[in-house]
């Protein structure tokens, strides 16, 4: 099998181009839509580039015991399904992927479902799911001899890009909305040596500025309009399918911001089905924050066929996005899998995040929308007790420690937001208490907490 077997197909008009013909902004020259990577050699059943399902399943599992660097990456372990490089030796890896799939027995019991799991993508090297996409797209940048890479970001993309660029010896440029990203993420971009520009605008404004910059300077764009990002981000679908012994779960629930991740996971499951590795795709549902819900509105008003940008507001800063680039791809995934697209309030996000924390699985607020969404889907009777559900947790809890501390101190939510939810919130809050430095005082604090 050759290494590089791909071409790019426009998601809007279907135009096909080679990888090297893509414009710097990765938009189609005909219609302005996004591209997706496709592998023509897989299309014909007799094609000698079409992977063999049984052999692949065996090979991918074997690689988990291999000492080869590429085999130890949870992305490149599946490299037969992302043949995007001329030479896999150009791959830049931090041994991303292979993330844990945790059972959530308490939440499952509370919701009356048998099988609930969290696929924790926050357990990646820079603490978010972005690493799986970044290893793929940054490797392409290196192979094509770019010296600079850039992204606009709500924080996690920039952290991942800066780290992978540093590993590859490339320079990186980060555009972030000033004052609107979590400190943990900003600190990572600095630590990994990015040129970090805070712009007086929102994420959507940063995207616009960067789209102009890449037209003027030889900088490789690493936002998720870059279709190679999605090739890496589809691999958690392979890990999930493998973890269920190639019987996919019934339902996968994913947060929605710029909507690349839901698109990528859908592509991953679609390819597994088309290649005969699994029999069906799981339902894929996308959950947004109520104040940043353009896809939810698109489904409500236009059956997911058109989108109107919104001015985004949510404390889940990772998904504070009003004009998502990959909305058309994500809408297709929701429709073809029979999933749903819904939103959750700030209060629902805060409670869900604390509940995940109480199970020993911290996550970012943006990740907690998945549990909030599951509760709504269950209450609406859209998920049966016997269904197997996987929540995709996208970011590590330490990315946004301020949010967590504010919740437990009782300073996160306004009174009107907490109103009617006081009992649930009080049961979850664990503020730190100041006590005298004596055993008696500490024991008294324990007694108080047990009440
Ligand atoms: N969860 C987290 C923790 C994120 O950082 C993001 C996106 C999402 C969910 C949404 O994923 O955009 O593919 O729908 N963060 C981007 C960033 C936009 O710049 O880090 P999506």
């Amino acid at each position: 099998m050759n290494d590089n077997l791909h071409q790019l197909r426009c998601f809007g008009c279907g135009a096909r181009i080679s990888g090297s013909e893509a414009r710097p902004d990765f938009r189609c020259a005909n219609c302005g839509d996004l591209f997706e990577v496709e592998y023509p050699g897989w299309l014909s059943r007799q094609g000698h580039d079409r992977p063999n399902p049984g052999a692949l399943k065996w090979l991918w599992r074997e690689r988990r015991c291999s000492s080869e660097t590429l085999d130890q990456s949870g992305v490149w372990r599946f490299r037969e399904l992302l043949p995007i490089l001329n030479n896999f030796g150009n791959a830049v890896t931090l041994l991303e992927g292979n993330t844990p799939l945790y059972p959530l027995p308490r939440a499952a019991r509370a919701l009356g479902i048998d099988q609930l799991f969290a696929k924790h993508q926050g357990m990646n090297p820079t603490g978010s799911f972005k690493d799986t996409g970044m290893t793929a797209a940054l490797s392409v940048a290196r192979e094509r001899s770019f010296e600079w890479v850039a992204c606009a970001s709500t924080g996690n993309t920039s952290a991942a890009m800066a780290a992978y660029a540093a590993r590859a010896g490339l320079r990186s440029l980060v555009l972030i909305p000033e004052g609107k990203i979590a400190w943990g993420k900003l600190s990572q971009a600095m630590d990994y040596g990015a040129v970090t520009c805070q712009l007086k605008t929102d994420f959507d404004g940063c995207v616009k500025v960067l789209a102009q910059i890449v037209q003027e300077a030889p900088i490789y764009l690493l936002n998720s309009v870059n279709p190679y990002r999605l090739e890496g981000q589809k691999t958690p679908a392979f890990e999930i399918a493998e973890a269920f012994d190639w019987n996919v779960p019934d339902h996968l629930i994913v947060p929605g911001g710029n909507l690349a991740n839901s698109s990528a996971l859908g592509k991953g499951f679609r390819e597994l089905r088309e290649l005969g590795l699994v029999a069906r795709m799981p339902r894929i549902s996308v959950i947004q924050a109520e104040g940043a819900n353009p896809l939810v509105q698109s489904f409500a008003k236009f059956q997911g066929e058109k989108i109107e940008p919104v001015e985004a507001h949510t404390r889940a800063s990772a998904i504070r996005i009003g004009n998502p680039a990959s909305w058309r791809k994500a809408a297709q995934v929701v429709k073809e899998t029979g999933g749903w697209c819904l939103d959750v309030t700030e209060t629902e996000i805060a409670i869900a995040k604390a509940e995940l924390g109480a199970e020993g699985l911290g996550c970012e607020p943006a990740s907690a929308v998945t549990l909030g969404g599951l509760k709504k889907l269950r209450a609406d009777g859209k998920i049966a007790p016997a269904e197997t559900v996987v929540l995709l947790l996208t970011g590590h809890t330490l990315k946004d420690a301020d949010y967590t501390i504010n919740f437990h101190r009782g300073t996160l939510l306004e009174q009107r937001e907490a109103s009617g939810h006081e009992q649930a919130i009080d049961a979850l809050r664990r503020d730190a208490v100041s006590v005298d430095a004596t055993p008696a005082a500490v024991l008294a604090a324990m007694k108080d907490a047990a009440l």
Side-chain angles (χ1 to χ4, degrees):
M1 193 160 143
N2 302 326
D3 282 0
N4 193 335
L5 296 171
H6 82 283
Q7 64 188 19
L8 303 180
R9 191 185 67 89
C10 173
F11 201 78
C13 69
R16 290 191 163 86
I17 59 171
S18 72
S20 56
E21 286 171 318
R23 298 196 317 189
D25 65 356
F26 289 103
R27 296 268 171 192
C28 174
N30 297 337
C31 72
D33 212 326
L34 301 182
F35 284 97
E36 114 175 318
V37 177
E38 74 174 6
Y39 305 101
W42 297 359
L43 298 176
S44 92
R45 292 214 164 258
Q46 311 320 330
H48 60 80
D49 286 327
R50 188 177 164 89
N52 172 324
L56 286 180
K57 289 177 188 176
W58 177 85
L59 179 66
W60 294 339
R61 207 176 275 278
E62 282 297 296
R63 282 184 182 149
R64 295 208 69 162
C65 309
S66 160
S67 54
E68 289 292 318
T69 305
L70 274 198
D71 293 347
Q72 290 183 9
S73 157
V75 171
W76 299 107
R77 176 162 81 87
F78 299 103
R79 55 191 173 272
E80 288 73 18
L81 295 200
L82 54 151
I84 55 176
L85 298 176
N86 292 329
N87 177 354
F88 283 122
N90 287 323
V92 182
T93 177
L94 282 164
L95 307 188
E96 53 289 315
N98 292 328
T99 53
L101 182 75
Y102 297 114
L104 287 171
R106 276 176 252 171
R109 214 172 307 126
L111 285 162
I113 54 177
D114 297 341
Q115 304 265 24
L116 177 61
F117 298 87
K119 174 73 174 162
H120 206 326
Q121 293 298 100
M123 299 306 203
N124 269 299
T126 76
S128 87
F129 72 102
K130 304 287 183 180
D131 293 344
T132 56
M134 209 45 82
T135 186
L138 196 126
S139 300
V140 174
R142 170 153 93 175
E143 189 167 87
R144 298 191 185 163
S145 304
F146 279 88
E147 286 171 16
W148 279 87
V149 292
C151 71
S153 181
T154 58
N156 280 326
T157 303
S158 50
M161 181 189 74
Y164 282 83
R167 295 299 292 177
L170 305 187
R171 301 298 312 278
S172 65
L173 169 69
V174 164
L175 302 191
I176 49 171
E178 186 164 41
K180 292 178 188 153
I181 79 165
W183 288 118
K185 305 174 188 181
L186 179 60
S187 72
Q188 287 178 292
M190 293 172 168
D191 215 22
Y192 305 139
V195 174
T196 304
C197 299
Q198 310 191 71
L199 307 192
K200 290 190 189 345
T201 177
D202 55 11
F203 170 79
D204 302 295
C206 292
V207 168
K208 274 191 202 144
V209 173
L210 189 56
Q212 289 165 20
I213 293 176
V214 296
Q215 304 285 3
E216 288 169 27
I219 302 175
Y220 193 70
L221 181 63
L222 282 174
N223 274 97
S224 53
V225 292
N226 181 322
Y228 302 109
R229 282 267 313 276
L230 276 65
E231 292 307 287
Q233 282 177 218
K234 75 186 180 185
T235 58
F238 307 162
E239 290 183 5
I240 292 170
E242 184 184 54
F244 287 93
D245 212 11
W246 307 101
N247 295 307
V248 297
D250 297 298
H251 206 137
L252 176 65
I253 303 184
V254 188
N258 216 14
L259 297 171
N261 204 30
S262 35
S263 307
L265 293 164
K267 185 174 193 281
F269 281 111
R270 191 185 301 129
E271 288 177 353
L272 289 184
R273 192 197 53 200
E274 284 170 2
L275 292 170
L277 281 101
V278 300
R280 62 181 174 91
M281 295 172 76
R283 273 187 210 280
I284 299 181
S285 290
V286 176
I287 317 295
Q288 299 197 294
E290 192 182 54
N293 66 352
L295 190 68
V296 177
Q297 293 197 33
S298 163
F299 272 100
K301 293 188 205 158
F302 312 112
Q303 290 85 45
E305 296 294 320
K306 180 181 152 191
I307 203 152
E308 285 173 345
V310 303
E311 197 179 302
H313 298 283
T314 168
R315 293 186 187 90
S317 57
I319 51 173
R320 195 182 286 151
I321 295 174
N323 191 12
S326 296
W327 71 271
R328 215 188 278 279
K329 293 182 184 178
Q332 190 200 306
V333 168
V334 170
K335 286 185 206 172
E336 81 177 295
T337 64
W340 287 278
C341 181
L342 59 148
D343 55 13
V344 289
T345 64
E346 293 296 299
T347 313
E348 287 166 336
I349 298 172
I351 291 175
K353 181 174 137 45
E355 285 171 345
L356 288 163
E359 288 221 39
L361 295 187
C363 65
E364 277 198 48
S367 310
V369 301
T370 53
L371 180 58
L374 169 61
K375 289 190 206 174
K376 281 192 158 168
L377 289 170
R378 184 74 187 112
D380 292 349
K382 289 179 172 144
I383 292 183
E387 282 184 46
T388 303
V389 181
V390 176
L391 307 179
L392 198 101
L393 303 185
T394 44
H396 198 281
T397 188
L398 295 177
K399 289 275 190 175
D400 192 355
D402 283 349
Y403 182 103
T404 311
I405 291 173
N406 287 337
F407 175 82
H408 290 286
R409 286 195 174 146
T411 53
L412 182 77
L413 299 171
E414 288 169 23
Q415 217 169 7
R416 67 173 170 82
E417 293 174 304
S419 164
H421 301 274
E422 290 85 352
Q423 237 186 327
I425 292 171
D426 287 348
L428 288 162
R429 272 186 52 205
R430 292 283 180 273
D431 195 6
V433 287
S434 290
V435 293
D436 287 340
T438 65
V442 175
L443 289 169
M446 285 173 67
K447 215 166 161 187
D448 282 350
L451 290 178

